[in-house]
Amino acid sequence: MKYLAILILSFIILAAFTSNSQLQLKRPKGWPAPVYDSRHNPLSANKILLGRALFHDPILSADSTISCVSCHLQYSAFTHIDHQLSHGIYGRTGRRNSPALMNLAWSKLLMWDGAVNHLDMQPLAPIANKDEMDMSIDSVMKRLQRSPVYKRLFYNAWGDSSITGERFLKSMAQFMLTMVSSNSKYDKVMRKEQGIAFSEQEERGLMLFRRYCNECHREPLFTTNEFANNGLPPDTTLNDYGRVTITHKAADSLHFKIPTLRNVEYSFPYMHDGRFSRLQQVIDHYTSGIMHSNTLSPALNAPIALSPENKVDLVAFLLTLSDKAFLFDSTYSFPHFVFTP
Amino acid sequence: MKKVCSIIFTLLASCFSLWAQDTTDVGIQLQLWYGKASLQSGKEYPYRDTTVQINVFRTYISAIRLSNKGKVVWHEPDSYHLIDMADSSSCYFTMHVPSDVMYDTIIWNLGIDSMANVSGAMGGALDPTRGMYWSWQSGYINLKLEGTSTMCPARQHEFQFHLGGYMPPFASVQEVHMSTRPGKVINVSADIAILLNSIDISVQQSIMIPGDDAVALSCIAAGIFSVR
């Protein structure tokens, strides 16, 4: 009890005197409330900056060659373009396609199979994975503790230079929470911004989208953040059955996380194993490639019939989800200035 | 600002002295045993017809409560303790119990509740750098038991049991009930031999994921504790 009182007391004093003023999680108009509860991790500019430095820094990998950015590049909506399966340390290949990262504050579970249950905990997975960064989390802490740059960044962010796992993870989460994409043409049309409207083709594409795709890739996030089997036949070299490996429930076999379709123009290749490189192939999958099985989502039971014109319209709509302001937002880029004092 | 602070300070300070008068420190002393011998790393102990060495024994004790005649009368706030055979200071801690509380039973959880498992990064005993958190799939490891035995056919005769999992049906956290009496120190013994003897390590050398095996062994682990 005494300790609690001392803790509360020091917290109040700290809160009163630090200049590290609190920021709000960004919530675009009309969007649902974020899932991430920032009350347990109040945002501040210095914590976000620390997270940003860590996100770009290969110090997190065993041989200091791989950073988060190696697989999550900003210009491709924070995914690894061209590689079907992610490439990590020592030239090793992972077992899945790296997903595009955005709007993570609305994601309950992370990873294609939902193995990670909280954004805070996400960095632990790639760091320890022997094909990705191959480093134990306590050796990462030891490295950071030896670095004058990080001593300073932790000090600025947390009020003292003690470097703990909790602080490390919360800072990384804060940076990732700032990756909000909400300035695509679609958003501007929905916000009724002046002078911006869908073309007739895009309009037709939107109607098709709402009819066939919206149940899973639901507006405005373009995902329900749930898991579903969208009828992909399993790749027999990978034998990846998705969510069932985590829940052990047969009904979850071949269920994968429904990815957002925002910035889908840039996030190729597509699907958990990167099997498709073009949107046209994805649409063809939905019209003629669905594998029926007892875990197939009911939403895809009835065949989807699209004419060649329909397909072109649908793709035209998907391209309105591109958000250049997000891809080129300099607040996500490598923070040179913290490394060169 | 300063004024507000000083008011809050006096307020808290007075609460403080109130609490201070009202509570007694009750120590929990854990003693780790292998049968009748005290548990030490690197020492050989009898196991079936052969011997074992225990190199790692670490476990979480959480949500400590005191109860009287079947009713919980007190629970320790923020109650998470990591017990580690390699760190004797982790085997003793004090709780600040209100002096007038009467109790006949101490209860705790062996492992981490599901709420703490899904609440993001935490510090202290729960800091994920403490070596008790899985990386490939979120969740705390409630108990680690590692060692070697000549009976163990695995590489270098090593066995490794990492028990955890918080999602039903494989939630492995266990409740431990022990009768006790109010006093300055509650001495609790944990006999690792009970746990190890329940496993045939010539057949099973490792558990590293949540599942039926982890749940079954966790139930047995809950039975290794007793108040002396």
Side-chain angles (χ1 to χ4, degrees):
Chain A
M1 250 341 176
K2 265 189 223 170
Y3 296 123
L4 194 72
I6 294 172
L7 222 92
I8 293 172
L9 198 69
S10 38
F11 184 76
I12 289 168
I13 294 172
L14 231 120
F17 292 105
T18 52
S19 55
N20 226 336
S21 61
Q22 210 168 303
L23 302 174
Q24 286 304 311
L25 230 155
K26 186 172 164 191
R27 178 177 173 186
K29 218 172 137 230
W31 285 27
V35 172
Y36 192 95
D37 185 354
S38 57
R39 280 173 309 182
H40 98 290
N41 186 14
L43 272 66
S44 80
N46 284 333
K47 290 177 189 148
I48 293 168
L49 178 61
L50 167 58
R52 179 175 159 198
L54 291 165
F55 194 84
H56 286 268
D57 198 336
I59 193 170
L60 304 187
S61 65
D63 63 358
S64 298
T65 60
I66 307 283
S67 70
C68 307
V69 176
S70 307
C71 301
H72 300 288
L73 264 155
Q74 182 178 357
Y75 304 136
S76 54
F78 295 103
T79 179
H80 206 180
I81 47 168
D82 287 342
H83 297 301
Q84 298 190 344
L85 303 174
S86 67
H87 285 203
I89 198 162
Y90 322 127
R92 286 183 191 151
T93 305
R95 41 191 283 274
R96 289 190 182 141
N97 178 17
S98 74
L101 306 183
M102 73 201 85
N103 306 336
L104 291 164
W106 286 267
S107 232
K108 249 194 322 269
L109 299 169
L110 299 130
M111 302 297 227
W112 286 107
D113 54 11
V116 171
N117 68 20
H118 197 288
L119 185 58
D120 291 358
M121 299 318 200
Q122 175 66 40
L124 296 171
I127 290 172
N129 188 314
K130 62 173 178 36
D131 295 331
E132 296 184 342
M133 300 172 116
D134 193 23
M135 184 93 166
S136 82
I137 183 70
D138 34 310
S139 7
V140 170
M141 292 303 119
K142 290 200 184 95
R143 266 197 200 168
L144 295 175
Q145 282 153 2
R146 283 196 300 268
S147 149
V149 171
Y150 281 105
K151 271 202 191 116
R152 178 162 45 79
L153 291 176
F154 272 83
Y155 179 85
N156 293 343
W158 294 93
D160 66 66
S161 55
S162 119
I163 296 180
T164 66
E166 180 187 17
R167 290 175 171 186
F168 166 82
L169 294 172
K170 284 184 167 172
S171 307
M172 291 213 77
Q174 291 206 5
F175 173 63
M176 289 191 275
L177 287 169
T178 66
M179 298 174 177
V180 176
S181 174
S182 64
N183 281 310
S184 63
K185 179 171 183 183
Y186 162 86
D187 296 295
K188 292 176 184 166
V189 173
M190 292 299 140
R191 288 197 292 259
K192 302 196 166 55
E193 285 186 18
Q194 261 211 321
I196 299 199
F198 283 137
S199 69
E200 278 177 27
Q201 187 183 45
E202 290 162 353
E203 190 76 46
R204 287 195 302 271
L206 171 64
M207 293 306 129
L208 291 166
F209 181 85
R210 287 190 171 153
R211 176 149 174 219
Y212 295 115
C213 320
N214 202 37
E215 174 148 356
C216 297
H217 300 285
R218 192 174 301 154
E219 297 170 75
L221 291 158
F222 290 88
T223 169
T224 55
N225 280 309
E226 297 295 328
F227 298 80
N229 173 355
N230 71 338
L232 296 171
D235 179 323
T236 50
T237 62
L238 294 168
N239 286 318
D240 189 346
Y241 289 83
R243 183 94 183 113
V244 64
T245 39
I246 304 299
T247 63
H248 304 277
K249 293 193 184 110
D252 290 332
S253 178
L254 295 174
H255 280 223
F256 289 88
K257 186 172 171 180
I258 301 168
T260 180
L261 300 186
R262 287 180 170 274
N263 296 303
V264 76
E265 177 180 5
Y266 303 102
S267 61
F268 57 89
Y270 304 114
M271 306 300 175
H272 68 272
D273 52 8
R275 67 177 69 189
F276 301 132
S277 53
R278 289 179 300 115
L279 284 173
Q280 187 63 47
Q281 294 171 304
V282 172
I283 309 235
D284 290 343
H285 160 72
Y286 283 107
T287 56
S288 52
I290 299 281
M291 184 188 85
H292 286 263
S293 67
N294 48 14
T295 62
L296 177 68
S297 165
L300 293 171
N301 250 333
I304 298 177
L306 297 175
S307 67
E309 295 75 33
N310 288 159
K311 291 183 181 178
V312 178
D313 293 350
L314 190 49
V315 172
F317 169 70
L318 293 178
L319 301 186
T320 70
L321 302 177
S322 298
D323 177 357
K324 289 245 168 65
F326 175 72
L327 301 185
F328 296 97
D329 185 338
S330 61
T331 62
Y332 307 135
S333 64
F334 178 65
H336 292 277
F337 54 94
V338 306
F339 295 100
T340 48
Chain B
M1 209 20 133
K2 274 210 178 116
K3 207 166 168 189
V4 179
C5 271
S6 65
I7 292 172
I8 292 172
F9 185 87
T10 2
L11 247 157
L12 281 173
S14 46
C15 298
F16 223 180
S17 50
L18 270 176
W19 285 334
Q21 282 165 15
D22 270 341
T23 66
T24 353
D25 282 359
V26 175
I28 301 279
Q29 175 73 62
L30 249 118
Q31 265 155 6
L32 306 180
W33 301 91
Y34 190 94
K36 291 203 160 55
S38 79
L39 186 71
Q40 278 161 26
S41 149
K43 219 171 126 182
E44 289 205 338
Y45 301 103
Y47 172 76
R48 304 206 173 187
D49 293 334
T50 59
T51 59
V52 286
Q53 296 187 13
I54 311 287
N55 303 326
V56 175
F57 177 76
R58 311 180 87 204
T59 191
Y60 278 117
I61 287 174
S62 71
I64 303 182
R65 308 67 111 187
L66 297 172
S67 82
N68 199 28
K69 303 194 173 77
K71 213 173 124 240
V72 172
V73 286
W74 178 80
H75 65 265
E76 188 187 34
D78 258 330
S79 182
Y80 296 102
H81 304 273
L82 178 55
I83 309 298
D84 185 351
M85 77 179 263
D87 172 12
S88 59
S89 71
S90 73
C91 297
Y92 183 83
F93 53 89
T94 46
M95 311 186 296
H96 312 291
V97 180
S99 309
D100 55 356
V101 159
M102 288 303 297
Y103 50 92
D104 55 28
T105 306
I106 178 166
I107 307 168
W108 66 49
N109 287 356
L110 185 64
I112 303 297
D113 56 289
S114 66
M115 194 55 207
N117 263 295
V118 298
S119 301
M122 283 174 284
L126 294 177
D127 195 298
T129 54
R130 304 292 296 266
M132 296 294 278
Y133 198 88
W134 272 310
S135 58
W136 53 277
Q137 170 183 5
S138 297
Y140 284 97
I141 299 167
N142 294 330
L143 185 148
K144 271 189 182 179
L145 175 65
E146 298 176 10
T148 55
S149 165
T150 45
M151 203 171 151
C152 182
R155 198 177 138 261
Q156 298 181 327
H157 309 299
E158 283 167 351
F159 57 87
Q160 280 186 316
F161 300 100
H162 293 183
L163 309 183
Y166 65 91
M167 278 190 293
F170 303 125
S172 62
V173 62
Q174 303 291 326
E175 244 180 43
V176 178
H177 292 246
M178 291 164 288
S179 351
T180 183
R181 258 177 287 144
K184 284 249 137 251
V185 178
I186 302 177
N187 281 295
V188 179
S189 298
D191 182 358
I192 312 306
I194 298 177
L195 188 55
L196 209 58
N197 280 318
S198 75
I199 317 164
D200 183 351
I201 49 181
S202 65
V203 178
Q204 182 166 37
Q205 301 87 42
S206 107
I207 297 178
M208 305 295 277
I209 57 170
D212 285 327
D213 289 350
V215 174
L217 199 55
S218 298
C219 286
I220 291 165
I224 70 173
F225 298 97
S226 59
V227 168
R228 285 186 309 145

